[in-house]
Amino acid sequence: MIDIKKLTDIIDTQMATSLKTLLTILSRHQRSTETYSSIDTQIYIKNVESARSVTKRFWQRAFSLSSRIKGVQTYVEVDYLPIDLRSENEVERDRNSKINNYITAERESYITPKEAAEEIRWTLGLNPNISLELIEMLERKGKTNESIP
């Protein structure tokens, strides 16, 4: 009799080796603990980040060269967003918490309404520069809040 479990483990290992990826990424845990899988994922992220640094340098040079060919003396910087393994719910929860902190800081007069609005706009991924109409509304809001004891 052949032990099927050992055979599947060998096939999984050979598959991961041939794909040059980790078993955790392939959802083949082979009796590994959560800590082992977490470390495995961190190693994978480090590999991705090292590949990103190579492509980052390539794109910086390519875009800088193409701008110089067009007659613009400039240096282009390229960057990637950090790898975030949090779920959408966790990201949204963190964003809401951050926004609530700015609202509280503005309510307690640690920052101005304009500063709070700029930070909240930045947190939401909007342009932090506030239009004149919104600035007028914030100033009126600030004046009504000051009159309240």
Side-chain angles (χ1 to χ4, degrees):
M1 291 290 294
I2 299 173
D3 187 8
I4 298 298
K5 182 64 180 155
K6 289 182 181 179
L7 183 61
T8 58
D9 286 349
I10 291 169
I11 292 171
D12 285 344
T13 303
Q14 288 181 345
M15 182 176 57
T17 304
S18 66
L19 293 172
K20 295 188 183 341
T21 190
L22 302 172
L23 288 171
T24 303
I25 305 303
L26 298 172
S27 296
R28 308 282 188 177
H29 301 289
Q30 289 189 348
R31 300 177 294 264
S32 62
T33 64
E34 186 177 333
T35 304
Y36 178 79
S37 296
S38 174
I39 291 170
D40 217 12
T41 304
Q42 288 176 4
I43 291 169
Y44 186 76
I45 288 172
K46 292 297 181 189
N47 287 335
V48 170
E49 287 175 348
S50 69
R52 281 179 158 189
S53 68
V54 172
T55 59
K56 178 180 166 180
R57 283 193 309 268
F58 169 79
W59 288 117
Q60 285 176 339
R61 289 178 183 167
F63 289 137
S64 295
L65 179 64
S66 67
S67 64
R68 287 187 194 118
I69 289 171
K70 296 241 182 205
V72 179
Q73 288 296 322
T74 187
Y75 176 76
V76 178
E77 289 205 21
V78 175
D79 206 0
Y80 291 102
L81 291 175
I83 298 171
D84 193 0
L85 296 177
R86 298 177 298 168
S87 69
E88 286 294 320
N89 289 338
E90 290 174 313
V91 171
E92 191 61 33
R93 199 174 321 120
D94 290 347
R95 186 179 299 128
N96 286 335
S97 175
K98 196 172 187 179
I99 290 171
N100 287 334
N101 287 342
Y102 289 124
I103 292 170
T104 302
E106 185 259 330
R107 188 179 333 120
E108 299 295 326
S109 300
Y110 293 116
I111 58 176
T112 66
K114 183 180 181 216
E115 290 172 326
E118 287 173 346
E119 292 297 331
I120 290 171
R121 288 176 64 86
W122 179 262
T123 301
L124 292 173
L126 302 171
N127 182 354
N129 297 327
I130 301 173
S131 65
L132 293 175
E133 302 89 40
L134 286 176
I135 289 177
E136 292 171 3
M137 288 174 49
L138 288 170
E139 288 173 351
R140 277 186 266 139
K141 176 185 167 190
K143 289 178 184 176
T144 59
N145 286 346
E146 288 174 2
S147 62
I148 299 173

